[in-house]
Amino acid sequence: MGMTRRWLTAALATAAALVLGAGTGQAAGREPTGPVQPNILTAAAYSLAAPAIAPPGANDWSCKPSERHPNPVLLSNGTTANAYENWANLSQKLADAGYCVFAGNFGGTPGTFLQTVGPIADTTKALAAFGDKILAATGAKKLDVVGHSQGGMNIRYWIKYLGGADKISRLVGLSPSNHGTDLFGLLSTLEMIPGVPAALSTVCQACNEQAVGSDFLTDLNAGGETVPGIQYTVIQTRYDDVVTPYTSAFLKAAPNVKNILLQNVCGLDFTDHLGITYDPVAEGLVLNALDPAHAKTPPCVPVPPVIS
């Protein structure tokens, strides 16, 4: 009965969120949010009944940034993930730390479970518009963006082509697909089979665009991977099983780039690609990247992979 009640509550919250325009920036005040989750699997299960619900601590449109944290934090989803599924832990930690936090769903059919699967340029255009609404609502001059996987890479498209260079102060990528993935050679092989890329694009154009050597990534990385004036932090795990090889997440060295291998901070951490947004060490590193003046060494505790 308790589980039934929770699922009913989630469904009602979804309906309310849709009425209020959850994840669109159109709602006044605080959007409905779901509870904090311990990992992405429990978050995904919850969001099956509430795919449009905002993650905890996020999307309070009356939030005004503090003097210590003047930039709102925008959370950018990974491929196939909705905002709640991706951020149902870190969002609350950021809110508890005093940030105005926002997350939305783009690149998928509104109100459905699968998001961030459409053409990356289209997803990023919608995300950039969402960012403009955040700046207008909060009165802030710039945003800090934290992105997972595709969400950590596609912000660079916003910066390069959509005016993001003047609106973004920090970009923190968690296992970002900056140079694509070969999925241990599988995706690269499939991409060479006639008809497969076209078939894949019907369900996930973003997957094709994140293949190593894709036209999209070749264009994105041409002429320099970063721009002056933005601080870039990449947090990556050696055990990434989606962005492979794991080193493809890292950006080229530059004065404003910090590449962090999670296992150099905590050798006991076996977090994989899906688990990194819920990983306590990675979350601590995100907080440090957003507020380096008050950085703290994250506690090193054993963390297993989500999928072993």
Side-chain angles (χ1 to χ4, degrees):
M1 180 64 71
M3 179 63 72
T4 300
R5 185 178 296 112
R6 284 194 295 272
W7 282 95
L8 179 59
T9 300
L12 291 173
T14 301
L18 290 171
V19 170
L20 291 171
T24 66
Q26 298 295 329
R30 184 187 296 272
E31 292 181 14
T33 60
V36 171
Q37 298 289 348
N39 58 63
I40 196 169
L41 297 181
T42 60
Y46 184 93
S47 69
L48 283 171
I53 201 80
N59 294 5
D60 178 359
W61 295 93
S62 64
C63 185
K64 298 300 178 183
S66 66
E67 183 177 350
R68 176 168 170 175
H69 301 310
N71 298 336
V73 176
L74 171 56
L75 302 175
S76 176
N77 310 337
T79 307
T80 75
N82 59 62
Y84 181 83
E85 176 187 359
N86 225 156
W87 306 111
N89 191 283
L90 180 58
S91 57
Q92 187 64 60
K93 288 191 176 181
L94 290 169
D96 290 344
Y99 291 94
C100 294
V101 185
F102 298 88
N105 293 314
F106 312 101
T109 303
T112 61
F113 179 77
L114 289 179
Q115 297 292 316
T116 332
V117 293
I120 292 174
D122 293 346
T123 299
T124 306
K125 287 175 185 176
L127 187 64
F130 187 65
D132 287 341
K133 291 172 183 175
I134 295 169
L135 292 174
T138 61
K141 295 181 179 179
K142 290 196 174 185
L143 297 163
D144 291 336
V145 184
V146 180
H148 176 230
S149 192
Q150 178 193 329
M153 174 274 294
N154 64 13
I155 306 307
R156 294 175 48 234
Y157 185 93
W158 179 1
I159 292 168
K160 186 171 184 176
Y161 291 116
L162 302 175
D166 296 326
K167 300 174 183 178
I168 295 171
S169 178
R170 299 180 184 276
L171 171 55
V172 184
L174 291 160
S175 297
S177 52
N178 282 319
H179 299 98
T181 178
D182 63 7
L183 279 179
F184 299 104
L186 176 61
L187 183 57
S188 297
T189 300
L190 291 175
E191 289 283 326
M192 293 187 291
I193 300 174
V196 170
L200 183 58
S201 70
T202 63
V203 292
C204 184
Q205 178 64 35
C207 296
N208 279 337
E209 293 176 332
Q210 291 174 92
V212 168
S214 70
D215 291 343
F216 176 87
L217 288 172
T218 299
D219 177 72
L220 178 65
N221 291 322
E225 298 178 2
T226 58
V227 300
I230 297 176
Q231 297 298 313
Y232 297 81
T233 303
V234 174
I235 302 167
Q236 173 62 321
T237 172
R238 187 186 303 277
Y239 305 105
D240 196 319
D241 44 10
V242 174
V243 173
T244 64
Y246 74 87
T247 52
S248 67
F250 294 132
L251 293 167
K252 289 183 179 179
N256 58 335
V257 171
K258 189 172 186 178
N259 292 313
I260 303 173
L261 182 62
L262 201 56
Q263 285 70 37
N264 287 343
V265 179
C266 179
L268 298 174
D269 196 321
F270 296 95
T271 291
D272 55 11
H273 186 85
L274 291 178
I276 196 167
T277 61
Y278 288 79
D279 177 79
V281 181
E283 289 178 325
L285 294 172
V286 169
L287 289 167
N288 288 348
L290 294 175
D291 188 7
H294 299 90
K296 300 177 182 178
T297 301
C300 182
V301 294
V303 178
V306 169
I307 298 177
S308 58

